[in-house]
Amino acid sequence: MLFTERDYYEDVVQMLQDRGVQLPDIAELVVSGQKDYIPDLSLATAIDSVQHVLHKTEVQDAVMTGLALDDVAEAKQLPEPLQERIGGDHATYGIDEQLVMSILGIYGTISWTNFGYLDRVKPGIVGKLNDEQHNGGRVNTFIDDIVAAIAAAAEARIAHD
Ligand code: MG
């Protein structure tokens, strides 16, 4: 594959890690999401699919943008009233879900369905991030949707094969 610009794969993996998200955490969502369809799906195959997704420029940009907004909100550096909207993860604030459409747009309708499930049920790391913020911890407004979208995309990749 020819890259005309730098690949930000290592950067985004590090950014996720700095926020407490390891690739196996995302891969576990993939394995459990596909268990009814591919009961013998290995964690290694799921990690491989997550890595493929994280090599896409659109995905890298979504990760960088979303995580930066969380961090700036965590530092209370956003202008008001946006600070209140993102910092408080307002129920009617939906740009976090809109941002990940740039990921789901690549992987088609299967990934939208997977994302809808992960967003509603919030299993594993998605729920952990959501709970952290809602229990008075750090701002995770964007990262929970980003992680759910990466898992949803990785599942769709596997389903398409
Ligand atoms: Mg969110």
Side-chain angles (χ1 to χ4, degrees):
M1 203 184 299
L2 185 85
F3 289 104
T4 53
E5 58 178 50
R6 188 159 93 69
D7 184 358
Y8 297 101
Y9 172 80
E10 299 293 343
D11 303 76
V12 296
V13 169
Q14 187 62 53
M15 285 174 206
L16 287 165
Q17 237 169 62
D18 291 346
R19 294 285 294 274
V21 178
Q22 318 288 334
L23 299 197
D25 299 331
I26 308 178
E28 276 173 21
L29 300 173
V30 174
V31 171
S32 61
Q34 290 296 303
K35 68 177 185 302
D36 291 343
Y37 314 101
I38 313 167
D40 61 346
L41 179 67
S42 71
L43 191 65
T45 302
I47 291 173
D48 180 72
S49 190
V50 168
Q51 288 171 330
H52 265 91
V53 169
L54 287 171
H55 274 286
K56 291 263 187 211
T57 303
E58 294 88 341
V59 177
Q60 293 168 358
D61 284 338
V63 173
M64 287 188 252
T65 305
L67 270 55
L69 282 164
D70 278 350
D71 284 343
V72 178
E74 175 64 18
K76 299 194 166 24
Q77 297 294 312
L78 285 172
E80 289 292 3
L82 187 61
Q83 175 64 44
E84 187 208 317
R85 300 285 289 163
I86 295 179
D89 198 15
H90 258 262
T92 56
Y93 182 82
I95 309 301
D96 43 354
E97 277 124 38
Q98 284 300 316
L99 178 72
V100 301
M101 292 306 156
S102 64
I103 297 174
L104 304 178
I106 312 170
Y107 293 93
T109 51
I110 293 176
S111 74
W112 309 348
T113 309
N114 297 340
F115 177 79
Y117 172 81
L118 293 167
D119 186 45
R120 194 174 66 254
V121 178
K122 303 192 193 306
I125 187 73
V126 177
K128 196 178 154 198
L129 291 164
N130 190 68
D131 291 347
E132 182 184 24
Q133 177 162 15
H134 289 267
N135 293 333
R138 64 150 299 146
V139 176
N140 287 332
T141 299
F142 280 85
I143 195 172
D144 59 342
D145 299 277
I146 300 257
V147 166
I150 294 166
E155 282 187 62
R157 273 191 79 257
I158 291 167
H160 281 299
D161 280 351

